[in-house]
Amino acid sequence: MNYTLIRMNEVFPHDSDVAKWIVGLAIIHNDFVFLKRKLFKTSDDISDWIFETTSVLKIFTASLREAIFYLEESEKLEEVRVYINSLPRYMIQKYEILKKLFRTGEKAELLQRLSNTRNITYHYTKPQRKELSEALEASSNEILAYEENNQKFLFAEHIKNTI
């Protein structure tokens, strides 16, 4: 492997909005690389696959939502806006695609769907809310396997996915 030594205070000065922005993007990038690897590295056991895949997608959805908010909030910093505008045209075009997902963008409804999914899967819908009743009703005629030795409740994953 080739390593490059980075003198942090020279490359990422603590008082630079652009440096902080780039480090934030790198953190987001690392999370997505991890999630991509985890998503494509699944067990041969179908119950593991169901459990892991839906959990990784849940984390991916929340991470994507937060990444969009990160980019949107970053535009409030003039130094970051100037930096973005100085990037090569092909990068700006890719960035413009993401800007469509901002709260004021033409695809803001997708951001809202990501937010709804995140809210349901991270806040764990409460028993008195309608989501659980509706999901149970929608699944009422289904038959799901239950394995006592397994530490996972596949029926719960099914209901979560139905919600």
Side-chain angles (χ1 to χ4, degrees):
M1 288 189 172
N2 288 335
Y3 290 100
T4 301
L5 298 178
I6 297 174
R7 189 174 309 274
M8 292 298 288
N9 63 349
E10 290 178 10
V11 179
F12 300 111
H14 72 280
D15 57 349
S16 167
D17 287 340
V18 171
K20 292 183 281 188
W21 182 70
I22 290 171
V23 169
L25 286 177
I27 291 168
I28 291 167
H29 169 83
N30 289 348
D31 287 347
F32 283 117
V33 167
F34 166 77
L35 291 169
K36 178 183 168 190
R37 286 183 186 150
K38 189 66 180 163
L39 191 59
F40 291 111
K41 180 184 165 194
T42 57
S43 170
D44 291 333
D45 181 343
I46 189 69
S47 66
D48 285 344
W49 185 87
I50 291 169
F51 181 78
E52 291 174 10
T53 300
T54 57
S55 293
V56 170
L57 287 173
K58 171 178 117 171
I59 297 167
F60 179 79
T61 299
S63 298
L64 182 56
R65 174 193 179 268
E66 293 304 314
I68 293 166
F69 282 158
Y70 179 84
L71 292 173
E72 185 176 5
E73 287 297 311
S74 298
E75 287 211 336
K76 293 178 180 177
L77 301 169
E78 183 170 343
E79 188 181 351
V80 172
R81 282 194 317 272
V82 169
Y83 179 78
I84 290 170
N85 289 330
S86 74
L87 293 171
R89 185 73 202 137
Y90 77 93
M91 292 178 88
I92 293 173
Q93 288 171 334
K94 290 184 182 293
Y95 184 72
E96 292 296 325
I97 292 169
L98 291 173
K99 283 182 68 169
K100 292 177 184 178
L101 300 172
F102 287 8
R103 286 174 274 207
T104 57
E106 63 188 64
K107 302 234 181 218
E109 76 282 349
L110 178 56
L111 178 63
Q112 186 58 53
R113 284 187 286 188
L114 290 172
S115 294
N116 293 346
T117 300
R118 175 203 156 278
N119 290 344
I120 288 170
T121 58
Y122 270 96
H123 293 293
Y124 302 115
T125 190
K126 311 303 181 280
Q128 63 270 31
R129 304 235 0 216
K130 66 180 181 175
E131 294 96 359
L132 276 171
S133 296
E134 290 172 352
L136 287 168
E137 184 179 359
S139 302
S140 62
N141 293 323
E142 297 179 24
I143 298 172
L144 301 172
Y146 174 74
E147 182 183 346
E148 264 186 60
N149 296 332
N150 194 329
Q151 293 183 3
K152 300 174 216 94
F153 297 114
L154 293 179
F155 63 86
E157 292 303 306
H158 180 72
I159 295 300
K160 179 178 72 176
N161 294 339
T162 302
I163 291 173

